Amino acid sequence: MNQDNTKKRGSGLFLSLSAVMAVPILVLGIIFIALGTQSVSEGMELEIKKALASTARETVALYSLSYPGEIGTEGQRFLMGVVDLSGDYTLIDQIKENTGNEISIFYGDTRMLTTIQDADGKRIVHTTTDDANIMAAIQMGNEYYSDRVDINGQYYYGYYVPLRNGNEICGMVFAGMTNESVKGSVNTIVTKIVIVFLIALMAVLVIASMYA
Protein backbone atom coordinates (compact mmCIF):
# COMPACT_ATOMS: atom_id res chain seq x y z
CA MET A 1 0.00 0.00 0.00
CA ASN A 2 2.80 2.36 0.97
CA GLN A 3 4.62 1.48 -2.24
CA ASP A 4 1.51 2.30 -4.28
CA ASN A 5 1.17 5.65 -2.52
CA THR A 6 4.83 6.36 -3.12
CA LYS A 7 4.45 5.56 -6.83
CA LYS A 8 1.39 7.78 -7.06
CA ARG A 9 3.21 10.61 -5.31
CA GLY A 10 6.21 10.12 -7.64
CA SER A 11 3.99 10.10 -10.70
CA GLY A 12 2.19 13.20 -9.51
CA LEU A 13 5.49 14.94 -8.80
CA PHE A 14 6.73 14.10 -12.26
CA LEU A 15 3.61 15.46 -13.92
CA SER A 16 3.77 18.62 -11.82
CA LEU A 17 7.46 19.09 -12.53
CA SER A 18 6.93 18.44 -16.23
CA ALA A 19 4.13 20.98 -16.38
CA VAL A 20 6.16 23.59 -14.52
CA MET A 21 9.13 23.12 -16.82
CA ALA A 22 7.17 22.71 -20.06
CA VAL A 23 5.19 25.95 -19.88
CA PRO A 24 8.14 28.38 -19.77
CA ILE A 25 10.01 26.27 -22.32
CA LEU A 26 7.04 26.45 -24.68
CA VAL A 27 6.78 30.21 -24.23
CA LEU A 28 10.49 30.69 -24.80
CA GLY A 29 10.33 28.33 -27.75
CA ILE A 30 7.57 30.32 -29.42
CA ILE A 31 9.52 33.56 -28.88
CA PHE A 32 12.69 31.90 -30.17
CA ILE A 33 10.95 30.60 -33.30
CA ALA A 34 9.35 34.00 -34.01
CA LEU A 35 12.66 35.85 -33.62
CA GLY A 36 14.47 33.15 -35.55
CA THR A 37 12.04 33.41 -38.45
CA GLN A 38 12.44 37.18 -38.60
CA SER A 39 16.22 36.92 -38.39
CA VAL A 40 16.37 34.27 -41.10
CA SER A 41 14.14 36.34 -43.40
CA GLU A 42 16.16 39.52 -42.92
CA GLY A 43 19.49 37.76 -43.30
CA MET A 44 18.35 35.89 -46.39
CA GLU A 45 17.00 39.05 -48.03
CA LEU A 46 20.33 40.82 -47.51
CA GLU A 47 22.19 37.92 -49.13
CA ILE A 48 19.66 37.82 -51.98
CA LYS A 49 20.19 41.51 -52.69
CA LYS A 50 23.97 41.07 -52.79
CA ALA A 51 23.74 38.00 -55.04
CA LEU A 52 21.30 39.62 -57.48
CA ALA A 53 23.38 42.80 -57.65
CA SER A 54 26.45 40.73 -58.45
CA THR A 55 24.62 38.71 -61.13
CA ALA A 56 23.18 41.81 -62.83
CA ARG A 57 26.53 43.61 -62.90
CA GLU A 58 28.36 40.54 -64.16
CA THR A 59 25.75 40.08 -66.91
CA VAL A 60 26.41 43.62 -68.14
CA ALA A 61 30.16 42.96 -68.06
CA LEU A 62 29.92 39.61 -69.87
CA TYR A 63 27.75 40.96 -72.69
CA SER A 64 29.92 44.06 -73.06
CA LEU A 65 33.04 41.91 -73.38
CA SER A 66 31.42 39.30 -75.63
CA TYR A 67 29.67 41.76 -77.94
CA PRO A 68 31.54 45.11 -77.92
CA GLY A 69 30.09 48.00 -79.81
CA GLU A 70 26.93 50.03 -79.97
CA ILE A 71 23.68 48.58 -78.62
CA GLY A 72 20.53 49.13 -80.64
CA THR A 73 17.45 47.70 -82.31
CA GLU A 74 16.13 47.34 -85.84
CA GLY A 75 12.45 46.54 -85.58
CA GLN A 76 12.34 43.57 -83.23
CA ARG A 77 15.99 42.71 -83.82
CA PHE A 78 18.37 43.32 -80.90
CA LEU A 79 21.92 44.27 -81.85
CA MET A 80 25.07 44.47 -79.76
CA GLY A 81 27.96 45.64 -81.88
CA VAL A 82 27.64 43.89 -85.22
CA VAL A 83 25.91 40.82 -83.77
CA ASP A 84 22.18 40.20 -84.00
CA LEU A 85 21.27 38.60 -80.67
CA SER A 86 17.57 38.21 -81.41
CA GLY A 87 16.60 34.76 -80.19
CA ASP A 88 20.17 33.96 -79.10
CA TYR A 89 19.83 32.81 -75.48
CA THR A 90 23.07 30.87 -75.19
CA LEU A 91 24.90 33.29 -72.88
CA ILE A 92 21.89 34.43 -70.87
CA ASP A 93 20.82 30.82 -70.23
CA GLN A 94 24.37 29.96 -69.16
CA ILE A 95 24.30 32.81 -66.63
CA LYS A 96 21.00 31.52 -65.25
CA GLU A 97 22.39 27.97 -65.02
CA ASN A 98 25.46 29.21 -63.12
CA THR A 99 23.61 31.52 -60.71
CA GLY A 100 20.08 30.15 -60.46
CA ASN A 101 18.73 33.64 -61.16
CA GLU A 102 16.35 34.82 -63.86
CA ILE A 103 17.88 37.38 -66.24
CA SER A 104 16.39 39.97 -68.58
CA ILE A 105 18.16 42.45 -70.88
CA PHE A 106 16.16 45.55 -71.77
CA TYR A 107 16.56 48.10 -74.51
CA GLY A 108 14.74 51.11 -73.16
CA ASP A 109 11.86 49.61 -71.20
CA THR A 110 11.48 46.54 -73.45
CA ARG A 111 12.81 43.03 -72.78
CA MET A 112 14.90 41.95 -75.71
CA LEU A 113 16.41 38.84 -74.11
CA THR A 114 15.10 36.98 -71.07
CA THR A 115 15.11 33.66 -69.28
CA ILE A 116 11.64 34.25 -67.84
CA GLN A 117 8.86 32.20 -69.39
CA ASP A 118 5.09 32.47 -69.30
CA ALA A 119 2.65 29.69 -68.35
CA ASP A 120 2.96 28.24 -71.86
CA GLY A 121 6.75 28.04 -71.64
CA LYS A 122 7.35 30.96 -73.99
CA ARG A 123 9.93 33.61 -73.17
CA ILE A 124 8.33 36.96 -72.40
CA VAL A 125 10.45 38.92 -74.88
CA HIS A 126 9.20 42.24 -76.29
CA THR A 127 7.26 42.91 -73.10
CA THR A 128 7.79 46.09 -71.11
CA THR A 129 8.09 47.19 -67.51
CA ASP A 130 5.50 49.72 -66.39
CA ASP A 131 7.14 50.43 -63.03
CA ALA A 132 7.89 54.16 -63.01
CA ASN A 133 10.22 53.82 -60.01
CA ILE A 134 12.47 51.40 -61.85
CA MET A 135 12.69 53.54 -64.96
CA ALA A 136 13.28 56.75 -62.98
CA ALA A 137 16.19 55.18 -61.07
CA ILE A 138 17.79 53.70 -64.20
CA GLN A 139 17.43 56.89 -66.25
CA MET A 140 19.27 58.73 -63.49
CA GLY A 141 22.09 56.20 -63.74
CA ASN A 142 21.26 54.47 -60.46
CA GLU A 143 20.78 50.81 -59.65
CA TYR A 144 17.42 49.68 -58.30
CA TYR A 145 16.32 46.88 -55.94
CA SER A 146 12.89 45.72 -54.84
CA ASP A 147 11.59 42.65 -53.00
CA ARG A 148 8.27 42.87 -54.83
CA VAL A 149 8.66 43.25 -58.59
CA ASP A 150 5.56 42.18 -60.49
CA ILE A 151 6.52 40.36 -63.68
CA ASN A 152 3.80 38.71 -65.69
CA GLY A 153 1.64 38.28 -62.57
CA GLN A 154 4.39 36.79 -60.41
CA TYR A 155 6.39 38.59 -57.73
CA TYR A 156 10.19 38.63 -57.74
CA TYR A 157 13.10 39.90 -55.73
CA GLY A 158 14.70 41.99 -58.45
CA TYR A 159 17.84 44.02 -59.04
CA TYR A 160 18.31 46.35 -62.02
CA VAL A 161 21.48 47.99 -63.33
CA PRO A 162 21.80 50.46 -66.22
CA LEU A 163 22.93 49.32 -69.68
CA ARG A 164 24.97 51.93 -71.54
CA ASN A 165 26.07 52.98 -74.99
CA GLY A 166 29.22 54.77 -73.93
CA ASN A 167 28.01 57.33 -71.40
CA GLU A 168 24.40 57.19 -72.58
CA ILE A 169 21.92 54.90 -70.83
CA CYS A 170 20.09 52.80 -73.39
CA GLY A 171 18.49 50.08 -71.29
CA MET A 172 18.99 47.92 -68.22
CA VAL A 173 19.71 44.41 -66.99
CA PHE A 174 17.50 42.60 -64.50
CA ALA A 175 18.47 39.72 -62.19
CA GLY A 176 15.85 38.17 -59.96
CA MET A 177 14.31 35.22 -58.19
CA THR A 178 10.70 34.49 -57.33
CA ASN A 179 9.33 35.39 -53.92
CA GLU A 180 7.85 31.90 -53.81
CA SER A 181 11.26 30.23 -54.04
CA VAL A 182 12.64 32.43 -51.25
CA LYS A 183 9.61 31.73 -49.05
CA GLY A 184 10.17 28.00 -49.56
CA SER A 185 13.78 28.32 -48.40
CA VAL A 186 12.76 30.30 -45.30
CA ASN A 187 10.08 27.71 -44.44
CA THR A 188 12.65 24.91 -44.71
CA ILE A 189 14.97 26.66 -42.25
CA VAL A 190 12.11 27.48 -39.83
CA THR A 191 11.00 23.83 -39.94
CA LYS A 192 14.49 22.79 -38.85
CA ILE A 193 14.36 25.30 -35.99
CA VAL A 194 11.02 23.86 -34.83
CA ILE A 195 12.38 20.32 -34.96
CA VAL A 196 15.41 21.29 -32.84
CA PHE A 197 13.11 22.96 -30.32
CA LEU A 198 10.84 19.90 -30.06
CA ILE A 199 13.85 17.63 -29.56
CA ALA A 200 15.10 19.92 -26.78
CA LEU A 201 11.67 19.90 -25.13
CA MET A 202 11.52 16.10 -25.21
CA ALA A 203 15.02 15.91 -23.73
CA VAL A 204 13.95 18.15 -20.83
CA LEU A 205 10.91 15.97 -20.13
CA VAL A 206 13.01 12.80 -20.21
CA ILE A 207 15.50 14.28 -17.76
CA ALA A 208 12.64 15.38 -15.51
CA SER A 209 11.24 11.84 -15.52
CA MET A 210 14.59 10.45 -14.39
CA TYR A 211 14.42 12.52 -11.20
CA ALA A 212 10.71 12.03 -10.54
Side-chain angles (χ1 to χ4, degrees):
M1 187 69 176
N2 289 335
Q3 289 181 346
D4 291 340
N5 289 335
T6 300
K7 288 181 179 179
K8 288 179 181 179
R9 285 196 299 270
S11 178
L13 179 61
F14 167 65
L15 292 174
S16 299
L17 182 60
S18 297
V20 169
M21 297 182 68
V23 171
I25 291 174
L26 283 171
V27 172
L28 289 173
I30 292 171
I31 295 173
F32 172 71
I33 291 170
L35 293 176
T37 301
Q38 181 179 357
S39 178
V40 167
S41 298
E42 291 175 352
M44 185 169 288
E45 181 167 339
L46 180 60
E47 291 304 313
I48 288 170
K49 182 179 180 179
K50 290 179 180 178
L52 294 180
S54 176
T55 298
R57 293 166 187 159
E58 288 174 5
T59 299
V60 171
L62 282 170
Y63 269 89
S64 297
L65 287 172
S66 301
Y67 308 103
E70 187 172 349
I71 303 170
T73 59
E74 291 181 3
Q76 291 193 333
R77 297 171 63 203
F78 179 54
L79 308 173
M80 293 189 78
V82 296
V83 181
D84 181 0
L85 291 177
S86 306
D88 185 349
Y89 302 109
T90 304
L91 181 54
I92 200 171
D93 284 348
Q94 186 63 52
I95 295 170
K96 176 181 177 178
E97 183 178 343
N98 291 342
T99 65
N101 300 325
E102 300 288 357
I103 311 294
S104 292
I105 299 177
F106 292 76
Y107 186 77
D109 64 352
T110 303
R111 289 180 187 84
M112 306 307 296
L113 296 173
T114 187
T115 60
I116 301 174
Q117 301 178 356
D118 62 18
D120 297 323
K122 297 179 180 179
R123 296 178 193 255
I124 58 170
V125 290
H126 307 303
T127 57
T128 60
T129 178
D130 56 2
D131 192 319
N133 293 326
I134 296 172
M135 296 308 301
I138 293 299
Q139 288 167 3
M140 291 180 66
N142 298 322
E143 298 180 351
Y144 182 87
Y145 170 76
S146 175
D147 62 358
R148 195 171 174 81
V149 179
D150 186 355
I151 301 176
N152 209 35
Q154 188 168 28
Y155 288 107
Y156 287 77
Y157 288 83
Y159 202 98
Y160 295 80
V161 299
L163 186 64
R164 290 180 167 87
N165 268 328
N167 294 325
E168 180 182 349
I169 295 170
C170 63
M172 56 190 175
V173 169
F174 160 88
M177 61 178 62
T178 63
N179 287 28
E180 184 179 349
S181 65
V182 175
K183 183 179 179 181
S185 298
V186 171
N187 288 341
T188 298
I189 295 172
V190 171
T191 298
K192 292 179 180 179
I193 292 173
V194 172
I195 291 172
V196 170
F197 165 69
L198 292 175
I199 292 173
L201 178 60
M202 291 300 297
V204 169
L205 294 177
V206 169
I207 292 171
S209 70
M210 293 172 61
Y211 290 93

